[in-house]
Amino acid sequence: MLSDIEIAQGAKMLPITKIAEKMGLDTDLIEPYGKYKAKLPKELFEKVKDNEDGKLILVTAINPTPAGEGKTTTSIGLGQAMHKIGKNAVLALREPSLGPVFGVKGGAAGGGYAQVVPMEDINLHFTGDMHAITAANNLLCAAIDNHLQQGNELGIDQRRILFKRCLDINDRALRYVNVGLGGKVNGVPREDGFIITVASEIMAILCLADDIFDLKYRLGNILVAYKYDNSPVYAKDIGVHGAMAVLLKDAINPNLVQTLENTPAIIHGGPFANIAHGCNSVRATKYALKLGDYCITEAGFGSDLGAEKFLDIKCRFAGLKPDCVVLVATVRALKYNGGIKKENLAEENVEALKKGIVNLEKHIENMLSYGVPLVVAINRFHTDSEEELSVIEECCKKHGCDFALSEVFAKGGEGGIDLAEKVIAACEKENNFKFLYDEKQPLKEKIETIAKNIYGADGVVFTANAEKNLAEIARLGFEEIPVCIAKTPLSLTDDPTKLGRPENFSITVKEVKLSAGAGFAVVLTGDIMTMPGLPKKPAALIIDIDENGNTVGLS
């Protein structure tokens, strides 16, 4: 089989104006970025805002493993399959970050014959959204340091500056840095650091903002520092939130592309799901709902992270109600949860599968607890045996949810027709969607509710530092906001080595940070890196330009 990039480079793409026409759009109202990409501006939404909303389908997964689950691939393949059977579906996906592209994970444009294209552009600079977010973030940082240099009229305590610089490349050497060195003319010396762009609060704000004016308001509410008298300093006090909004005036508009089978795909925003809320932008999702009978979107990592945040944060803020949840798993991943090493996953092992299927069962229970119809999609590999697949199907029947095999990686939309038909049927079932918690509950109660009900923990341990943070957030008047828990995606616990469905454990909260602009509190558990490092052999070592000027090695 050809590699992902070879398949993508051989795609027969339609001009983006043709994709717009397929969606019934006036092409004068889209903003083309070359031949195969376009921005969808506010003026276009004004034209479609009164359209009836389509069905909202959320694609999530079990905890990720080295075996791979294929959540994005399944999302794209499902969209293609719906078009195969004559349904008007529009995808709403996240933008890839350059960090994973050149690091361990690789790209995030799907795989095999279920990809969004132009794959190289989407995985790399795309329409410049990531760079605009980076620039806006670092403009604020520069303005803070300039304020210190020019006399510090606000009385900012340089030891308590919270807002960090960012970069969209994995670079561990920048986690902790000193700035302002080199004498008086070069600034006020202080400790600083970098986070990856997708961890910036500005990314979360961009994805949650209703429009450019809401964006500007939220940017102004970013808590950036404290004064010597312990009072807060917000970005609006520094005065550059308007300039930041100007930098983001194009980035706030969603991007239109297509799949290998010319299904429309709106790709916009990409906050990490382990340290942020892990969903594409509200604006992209609302566009897809207005332009399609079915909007297929996804949330990062497993349901314990991305889906919980999609349902409890994004849906709450945006007034969204999902019609169906698709939970992606693989036989290989479940055997890995059952204790089988990666190199042995191709071998049939029903006992290991039965041992590891408890991870799937917990994710099923989690999603059903929201009251939304559920379909389990098994991303099929040629090594999966019929007996192994029947074990999973029986598990789904026991829990009262539908089961479908997906072969979209190898067959494109044709391989997802069974899944598409079951998702369409699920969208018509009784739906009693409810949030997991009331946002008016104290922050501690909200954290404990997620830990106990979604992770399966016995309780939560709050460090002295976390207790201090919670008290400070309450003092500032931000008690009644959602919580965004940052933890490892690899386990239901805060320990990445504990696979399956662990029992008799607690979650330790080390720190709680206020993202006042985004509108939630970030709860840090375990060892969470907001600036990842590169592995010993990063993907960047194999990405290259060949003698014909073609990109190779991108996955």
Side-chain angles (χ1 to χ4, degrees):
M1 185 172 171
L2 298 174
S3 67
D4 288 351
I5 193 166
E6 288 172 331
I7 293 170
Q9 288 171 340
K12 295 180 179 178
M13 290 186 285
L14 294 176
I16 201 64
T17 50
K18 295 294 183 184
I19 298 297
E21 287 172 1
K22 285 178 65 174
M23 302 166 75
L25 297 181
D26 183 344
T27 55
D28 290 339
L29 282 175
I30 69 169
E31 298 175 353
Y33 274 56
K35 192 174 181 180
Y36 301 111
K37 300 170 289 183
K39 282 282 187 182
L40 302 179
K42 177 185 176 183
E43 293 77 13
L44 179 58
F45 191 77
E46 292 300 314
K47 293 284 188 181
V48 301
K49 67 180 182 180
D50 294 327
N51 291 2
E52 184 179 350
D53 282 349
K55 301 290 187 181
L56 178 58
I57 300 157
L58 171 66
V59 181
T60 185
I62 62 171
N63 292 105
T65 69
E69 288 64 57
K71 182 171 72 269
T72 303
T73 300
T74 301
S75 301
I76 297 166
L78 174 58
Q80 293 181 158
M82 284 205 170
H83 274 255
K84 283 276 186 187
I85 59 177
K87 301 298 181 181
N88 176 21
V90 178
L91 291 156
L93 305 174
R94 295 172 296 156
E95 294 182 48
S97 163
L98 291 179
V101 167
F102 291 113
V104 177
K105 189 178 178 183
Y113 289 92
Q115 297 187 57
V116 281
V117 285
M119 179 262 223
E120 294 165 65
D121 293 5
I122 294 167
N123 276 317
L124 300 175
H125 302 287
F126 203 17
T127 57
D129 294 347
M130 293 289 183
H131 303 312
I133 293 166
T134 303
N137 184 106
N138 294 340
L139 171 61
L140 178 54
C141 292
I144 293 168
D145 280 307
N146 186 58
H147 186 88
L148 297 178
Q149 175 74 2
Q150 303 298 342
N152 194 8
E153 182 182 348
L154 291 172
I156 296 172
D157 186 345
Q158 67 198 58
R159 300 162 301 179
R160 300 188 68 193
I161 295 174
L162 308 175
F163 199 77
K164 293 185 176 183
R165 289 167 161 83
C166 73
L167 183 72
D168 195 33
I169 290 289
N170 292 358
D171 192 346
R172 61 171 56 83
L174 294 179
R175 288 172 186 161
Y176 302 97
V177 300
N178 290 319
V179 298
L181 304 182
K184 187 175 180 180
V185 298
N186 293 315
V188 177
R190 68 178 183 87
E191 292 182 358
D192 197 6
F194 279 74
I195 58 176
I196 194 164
T197 297
V198 287
S200 170
E201 186 176 351
I202 295 175
M203 170 62 84
I205 289 171
L206 182 87
C207 288
L208 293 172
D210 292 328
D211 53 36
I212 190 68
F213 304 106
D214 184 38
L215 176 77
K216 178 183 171 181
Y217 174 78
R218 289 172 177 270
L219 291 172
N221 285 339
I222 297 173
L223 177 65
V224 297
Y226 285 93
K227 301 178 186 179
Y228 288 115
D229 65 4
N230 203 35
S231 59
V233 179
Y234 297 98
K236 58 190 173 188
D237 300 321
I238 302 297
V240 295
H241 57 299
M244 294 163 66
V246 170
L247 282 171
L248 298 168
K249 68 180 180 63
D250 294 321
I252 194 174
N253 293 328
N255 309 292
L256 177 64
V257 288
Q258 62 192 291
T259 72
L260 293 174
E261 298 178 11
N262 312 123
T263 303
I266 301 173
I267 300 182
H268 192 224
F272 274 3
N274 57 339
I275 49 184
H277 67 287
C279 315
N280 69 300
S281 76
V282 167
R283 285 166 65 88
T285 302
K286 287 188 173 180
Y287 261 118
L289 285 168
K290 295 297 182 184
L291 295 170
D293 295 327
Y294 296 89
C295 164
I296 301 165
T297 190
E298 65 172 355
F301 293 125
S303 78
D304 55 321
L305 286 176
E308 184 274 315
K309 294 167 185 177
F310 178 94
L311 297 167
D312 285 314
I313 297 177
K314 180 174 177 176
C315 287
R316 193 189 304 265
F317 284 160
L320 300 174
K321 179 182 177 181
D323 293 280
C324 173
V325 174
V326 177
L327 179 62
V328 180
T330 64
V331 169
R332 295 157 60 91
L334 294 174
K335 287 191 290 191
Y336 184 86
N337 270 283
I340 301 301
K341 292 182 178 180
K342 183 179 178 181
E343 57 268 26
N344 299 324
L345 292 175
E347 301 169 8
E348 183 182 73
N349 194 324
V350 175
E351 290 308 309
L353 175 65
K354 288 180 177 178
K355 184 180 177 183
I357 206 168
V358 292
N359 186 264
L360 173 63
E361 287 182 312
K362 178 56 178 164
H363 288 281
I364 289 173
E365 292 170 17
N366 285 349
M367 293 298 94
L368 289 177
S369 70
Y370 285 91
V372 180
L374 178 67
V375 177
V376 173
I378 297 301
N379 192 10
R380 187 173 191 175
F381 286 70
H382 71 278
T383 55
D384 300 344
S385 73
E386 292 300 325
E387 188 176 356
E388 289 172 328
L389 292 170
S390 67
V391 169
I392 300 174
E393 186 169 12
E394 285 303 311
C395 171
C396 294
K397 287 180 180 177
K398 182 177 75 173
H399 288 277
C401 59
D402 290 324
F403 165 87
L405 292 177
S406 172
E407 297 181 271
V408 298
F409 182 90
K411 300 179 181 178
E414 191 67 34
I417 289 176
D418 179 47
L419 173 60
E421 290 174 341
K422 286 177 177 171
V423 167
I424 291 166
C427 286
E428 302 304 323
K429 292 183 178 180
E430 182 180 356
N431 189 325
N432 298 303
F433 173 61
K434 61 183 182 297
F435 298 122
L436 184 67
Y437 56 80
D438 184 339
E439 65 180 8
K440 294 187 180 299
Q441 291 176 260
L443 285 172
K444 263 191 173 183
E445 286 186 18
K446 286 177 279 201
I447 296 167
E448 289 168 345
T449 298
I450 295 171
K452 291 177 180 179
N453 293 317
I454 300 298
Y455 309 154
D458 296 329
V460 179
V461 176
F462 294 90
T463 64
N465 184 54
E467 294 278 10
K468 181 181 177 182
N469 298 153
L470 288 166
E472 177 63 18
I473 292 171
R475 180 180 77 86
L476 294 176
F478 289 94
E479 182 81 359
E480 297 182 359
I481 56 175
V483 292
C484 180
I485 299 184
K487 77 170 187 69
T488 176
L490 303 178
S491 171
L492 288 163
T493 74
D494 51 10
D495 180 349
T497 66
K498 292 182 178 178
L499 304 180
R501 184 176 183 168
E503 297 178 341
N504 305 315
F505 69 93
S506 60
I507 296 291
T508 300
V509 174
K510 295 183 175 181
E511 186 177 1
V512 184
K513 295 183 177 182
L514 175 61
S515 290
F520 53 67
V522 178
V523 180
L524 299 171
T525 71
D527 296 319
I528 301 298
M529 289 294 179
T530 53
M531 169 53 86
L534 292 171
K536 188 172 183 178
K537 293 183 178 180
L541 296 178
I542 59 172
I543 296 173
D544 202 354
I545 297 286
D546 68 14
E547 62 277 8
N548 298 313
N550 297 316
T551 302
V552 295
L554 187 62
S555 63

